[in-house]
C-alpha cells in the first residue's frame, strides 16, 4: 500500500473531528490555486468559509461575508491565511489565539534564495509592494495596486507549503489539487478524438523553453503528431465573477479563473502531455503547478520531471502512476517513454486510465482537504 492510499484511509471522515465546521479565512487578494483547492474541498466537506467585509478571490464561490469579528474565535475551528499580497494581518491583533492559526504558502520560490520560507517571501513582497495603504484601498474589491500589511506578532501554528524543498523543515507539503472547474469543463473528454500523440504547452521560464526546443527538434524527425505551441481561445468564466475578470488590471489575477476553450480542447485531444518545472533551478520548482492538474483532469497521460530537491514525500504525485516521472532534465528518457507508450496503444490506454483514476481519487479537492485537516490536528 502506498502513501496516497494510506493517507486516503486514515483521513476518512476527519472532518467530523471539528466542532463547528466553520473557519475564518483572512486571505490574500491574489489568486492562489493551492488555497482555492483547499477551500473547495472544505466546502464539499460541509465547512462554512467566513470572510470579513468582502468576498475573496480564492473563496468567492462559497464564502459567507460578516462585518463583525467579535467572539469569532469561539465560533470557528481555525483561522486560515495565505501569502503573497493583501492579507489583512492586522486583524489578528484583536484575537487571543484561542484556536489554531493555519498558513498556506502557495507562493513561488524566490530566485537565488535556497530556503524561500514563508517569512522570507513576506519580507521580499514588502519590498515589492506598497506597505500599509489606507483602509479605503484595503476594503475595495478591485485594488489599483498590490499592497502589504505589517505582519506584527502573527505566528502560524501550522504551515503548509506547495513548493517545498528538502531544506524546508518547519512546514508540511501541500499539493495543488485539481480545480473543480477543470472537472466541469473536461467532463466530455472521452467524446473528443485524441489526435495528438504528444503535447506540450510552452510558457515563460527556462525549463519550459528548454522542453519546447527539445520537442521542436524531435518533431522534425518523428512520425508522431505533436502539438508544441501556446494556445488560448475563447475565455469561459462564471457570470458571477465576469466583471472582475474583465476589470482587473492584472493586479489580483482574476483572469486565472478563466478557462480557455481552445486550450482545453487541445488538452482533451492529446494522448500524452509533457510537463516541466518553470524557471531556473530554485524557483518556482516543485510539482504543484496547475498544468499537471489540468493534464490529469483532461485525461492525458503525463510525463514530467522535477528538481531533485523537491520534497512531496508526504503526498507524492509520483504514486498516481510511477512510470510518469523521469529523471530531471533527461529529455532522452522522456522521448523514449513517449515512443514506448505510443508503440503499445493498449499499454498507453492502461496507463492513461491509471493516471486519471488515481488522480481523481487522490488529487481532487476533497481528499486533499482531508489530508490538510488531518495534519492540522496531528
Amino acid at each position: 500500500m502506498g502513501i496516497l492510499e494510506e493517507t486516503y484511509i486514515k483521513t476518512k471522515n476527519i472532518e467530523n473531528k471539528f466542532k463547528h465546521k466553520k473557519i475564518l479565512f483572512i486571505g490574500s487578494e491574489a489568486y492562489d490555486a493551492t488555497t482555492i483547492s483547499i477551500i473547495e474541498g472544505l466546502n464539499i466537506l460541509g465547512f462554512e468559509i467566513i470572510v470579513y467585509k468582502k468576498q475573496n478571490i480564492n473563496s468567492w464561490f462559497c464564502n459567507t461575508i460578516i462585518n463583525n469579528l467579535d467572539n469569532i474565535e469561539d465560533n470557528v475551528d481555525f483561522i486560515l491565511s495565505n501569502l503573497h499580497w493583501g492579507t489583512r494581518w492586522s486583524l489578528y491583533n484583536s484575537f487571543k489565539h484561542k484556536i489554531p492559526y493555519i498558513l498556506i504558502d502557495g507562493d513561488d520560490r524566490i530566485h537565488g534564495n535556497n530556503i524561500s520560507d514563508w517569512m522570507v517571501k513576506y519580507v521580499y513582497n514588502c519590498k515589492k509592494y506598497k506597505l500599509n495603504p489606507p483602509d479605503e484601498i484595503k476594503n475595495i474589491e478591485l485594488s489599483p495596486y498590490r499592497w502589504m500589511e505589517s505582519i506584527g506578532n502573527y505566528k502560524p501554528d501550522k504551515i503548509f507549503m506547495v513548493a517545498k524543498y528538502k531544506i524546508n523543515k518547519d512546514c508540511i507539503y501541500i499539493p495543488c489539487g485539481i480545480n473543480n472547474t477543470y472537472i466541469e469543463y473536461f467532463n466530455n473528454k472521452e467524446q473528443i478524438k485524441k489526435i495528438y500523440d504528444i503535447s506540450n504547452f510552452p510558457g515563460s521560464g527556462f525549463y519550459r523553453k528548454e522542453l519546447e526546443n527539445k520537442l521542436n527538434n524531435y518533431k522534425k524527425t518523428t512520425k508522431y503528431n505533436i502539438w508544441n505551441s501556446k494556445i488560448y481561445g475563447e475565455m469561459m468564466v462564471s457570470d458571477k465573477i465576469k466583471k472582475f475578470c474583465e476589470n482587473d488590471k492584472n493586479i489580483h489575477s482574476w483572469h486565472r479563473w478563466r478557462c480557455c476553450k481552445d486550450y482545453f480542447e487541445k488538452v482533451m485531444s492529446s494522448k500524452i502531455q509533457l510537463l516541466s518545472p518553470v524557471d531556473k533551478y530554485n524557483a518556482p520548482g516543485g510539482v504543484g503547478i496547475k498544468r499537471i492538474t489540468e493534464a490529469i483532469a483532461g485525461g492525458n497521460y503525463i510525463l514530467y520531471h522535477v528538481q531533485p530537491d523537491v520534497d512531496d514525500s508526504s503526498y507524492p504525485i509520483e504514486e498516481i502512476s510511477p512510470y510518469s516521472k523521469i529523471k530531471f532534465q533527461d529529455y532522452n528518457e522522456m522521448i523514449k517513454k513517449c515512443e514506448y507508450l505510443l508503440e503499445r496503444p493498449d499499454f498507453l490506454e492502461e496507463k492513461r486510465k491509471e493516471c486519471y483514476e488515481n488522480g481523481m481519487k487522490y488529487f481532487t479537492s476533497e481528499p486533499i482537504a482531508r489530508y490538510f485537516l488531518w495534519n492540522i490536528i496531528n
Side-chain angles (χ1 to χ4, degrees), residues 139-323:
N139 292 332
I140 58 177
E141 289 189 310
L142 284 178
S143 178
Y145 53 78
R146 297 180 179 184
W147 50 268
M148 301 288 289
E149 274 196 345
S150 297
I151 203 162
N153 296 320
Y154 172 79
K155 185 177 180 181
D157 296 292
K158 292 285 179 75
I159 304 161
F160 292 84
M161 186 178 192
V162 64
K164 184 179 184 298
Y165 276 23
K166 293 172 184 176
I167 198 171
N168 302 115
K169 303 298 183 184
D170 299 323
C171 59
I172 302 161
Y173 171 69
I174 189 77
C176 179
I178 297 171
N179 190 301
N180 291 347
T181 306
Y182 302 160
I183 298 172
E184 175 186 345
Y185 283 134
F186 284 129
N187 65 358
N188 65 335
K189 61 188 174 300
E190 299 304 327
Q191 300 170 23
I192 295 179
K193 186 176 180 181
K194 296 193 177 298
I195 60 174
Y196 295 101
D197 297 307
I198 304 169
S199 285
N200 173 54
F201 300 95
S204 60
F206 173 80
Y207 295 124
R208 285 178 175 171
K209 189 65 180 176
E210 186 176 59
L211 176 56
E212 180 186 7
N213 291 340
K214 296 286 185 182
L215 197 56
N216 273 336
N217 288 334
Y218 177 67
K219 190 176 180 179
K220 296 173 185 176
T221 62
T222 186
K223 63 182 180 180
Y224 296 116
N225 191 15
I226 295 175
W227 178 269
N228 191 31
S229 302
K230 296 179 182 179
I231 188 168
Y232 299 98
E234 178 188 348
M235 299 292 184
M236 303 176 292
V237 70
S238 169
D239 289 339
K240 293 180 180 179
I241 58 170
K242 192 172 184 180
K243 66 176 182 179
F244 298 117
C245 296
E246 292 175 344
N247 297 314
D248 178 24
K249 307 301 182 184
N250 201 21
I251 305 297
H252 301 261
S253 298
W254 275 100
H255 68 277
R256 295 187 68 190
W257 274 106
R258 300 183 298 186
C259 294
C260 302
K261 185 174 183 292
D262 292 352
Y263 165 69
F264 272 56
E265 288 181 354
K266 277 288 185 293
V267 171
M268 290 187 284
S269 302
S270 304
K271 298 173 184 176
I272 300 170
Q273 187 176 152
L274 309 183
L275 297 136
S276 72
V278 183
D279 191 22
K280 299 183 182 177
Y281 183 78
N282 197 47
V287 293
I289 57 175
K290 286 178 62 183
R291 293 193 185 187
I292 282 186
T293 63
E294 292 165 353
I296 294 170
N300 298 168
Y301 188 69
I302 60 172
L303 290 175
Y304 71 96
H305 66 122
V306 296
Q307 297 92 329
D309 288 346
V310 166
D311 180 17
D312 69 335
S313 56
S314 62
Y315 208 89
I317 196 167
E318 181 178 1
E319 286 191 5
I320 68 171
S321 183
Y323 189 79

